[in-house]
Amino acid sequence: MAWSFREKAQVGGLLLSLLGWVCSCVTTILPQWKTLNLELNEMETWIMGLWEVCVNQEEVVVCKAFESFLSLPQDLQVSRILMVASHGLGLLGLLLSGFGSECFQLYRNRWVFKRWLCLLGGTLEASASATTLFPVSWVAYATIQDFWDDSIPEIVPRWEFGDALYLGWAAGIFLALGGLFLIFSACLGKEEESSLRMAGPTVPPFYAPADRSSDSFYLTPRPRNLFI
């Protein structure tokens, strides 16, 4: 079965959105948003995430969850809220786009309704991308500001980028690409629908009854202004 370009765009958008949503969920859970290496003890590494802070010392990891949400820095507070909102938007976008795709067939499901579902799902995936990229970039910006802060003595260790930030940027890019593919597929469906309407139905030619004057059997065109 050959797929059209619109169907390929829909499937590609769904796969990219699913990959971005999974990466976004993993980014939220991982504690490696910030890392801190101590020069006095090179075997000890501190890592901080949205939910807990951990200490890795000689391959032994000890984690402690944050006791209060209000005790977190402002960038981590906003990041926690936006990342959770991103998961909800991404999941809802996946469901709507799945119901609006050509792979899902439902009795009496009109194409116009499916196109709007796909368009709405793509918009939600793009919103999920924004709510993922913003907190990750904000934490990265705050980390850079603290790292180059001249008011902090040089002997004090500085926080650096963790692996979760790079995974979060990748998740935001995947969600953005998936949303754009879904929106593009919905626009392609709109163009095909308008072209079919402009073409209009074809009128079959009129034929007169067969001429039986001879042994041959053939049809002769009937004039349109002939009335019986």
Side-chain angles (χ1 to χ4, degrees):
M1 179 180 179
W3 285 6
S4 63
F5 183 74
R6 183 182 71 250
E7 294 174 348
K8 294 179 180 179
Q10 287 179 352
V11 174
L14 287 173
L15 292 178
L16 287 173
S17 299
L18 179 60
L19 180 60
W21 183 76
V22 172
C23 292
S24 178
C25 293
V26 175
T27 302
T28 306
I29 299 173
L30 286 178
Q32 289 90 355
W33 282 62
K34 296 181 180 181
T35 60
L36 179 65
N37 296 322
L38 300 178
E39 297 181 357
L40 299 177
N41 187 2
E42 297 180 356
M43 301 297 295
E44 183 176 340
T45 304
W46 290 71
I47 53 177
M48 179 185 295
L50 299 180
W51 311 95
E52 59 186 0
V53 58
C54 301
V55 180
N56 186 359
Q57 187 175 8
E58 296 181 356
E59 298 182 357
V60 178
V61 181
V62 179
C63 297
K64 181 181 179 181
F66 295 116
E67 297 180 355
S68 175
F69 174 78
L70 299 177
S71 63
L72 294 174
Q74 186 178 8
D75 55 344
L76 295 183
Q77 290 179 357
V78 178
S79 298
R80 184 186 290 188
I81 296 174
L82 291 180
M83 292 300 291
V84 174
S86 174
H87 303 335
L89 292 174
L91 181 60
L92 182 59
L94 281 173
L95 293 176
L96 293 179
S97 301
F99 289 138
S101 65
E102 294 294 329
C103 301
F104 182 80
Q105 298 293 337
L106 188 63
Y107 180 68
R108 293 182 180 178
N109 195 355
R110 296 184 178 180
W111 161 243
V112 178
F113 178 68
K114 296 181 67 175
R115 180 173 61 85
W116 279 107
L117 284 179
C118 192
L119 182 62
L120 181 58
T123 305
L124 291 176
E125 294 299 332
S127 302
S129 171
T131 52
T132 299
L133 292 174
F134 181 77
V136 173
S137 301
W138 190 7
V139 172
Y141 175 76
T143 304
I144 294 175
Q145 291 294 106
D146 295 338
F147 186 86
W148 297 107
D149 191 358
D150 296 333
S151 62
I152 301 176
E154 295 182 358
I155 195 174
V156 178
R158 311 294 178 94
W159 290 99
E160 299 180 7
F161 289 173
D163 297 336
L165 295 182
Y166 300 102
L167 184 61
W169 280 319
I173 294 174
F174 288 145
L175 287 171
L177 292 177
L180 290 177
F181 270 90
L182 292 173
I183 294 174
F184 181 65
S185 65
C187 295
L188 284 178
K190 184 177 181 180
E191 293 178 358
E192 292 181 2
E193 182 184 359
S194 60
S195 62
L196 290 176
R197 290 182 178 179
M198 292 177 62
T202 57
V203 180
F206 291 90
Y207 291 96
D211 189 2
R212 301 180 180 273
S213 60
S214 61
D215 296 337
S216 61
F217 183 82
Y218 60 92
L219 298 177
T220 57
R222 175 186 295 175
R224 295 181 179 271
N225 56 358
L226 180 61
F227 296 93
I228 298 176

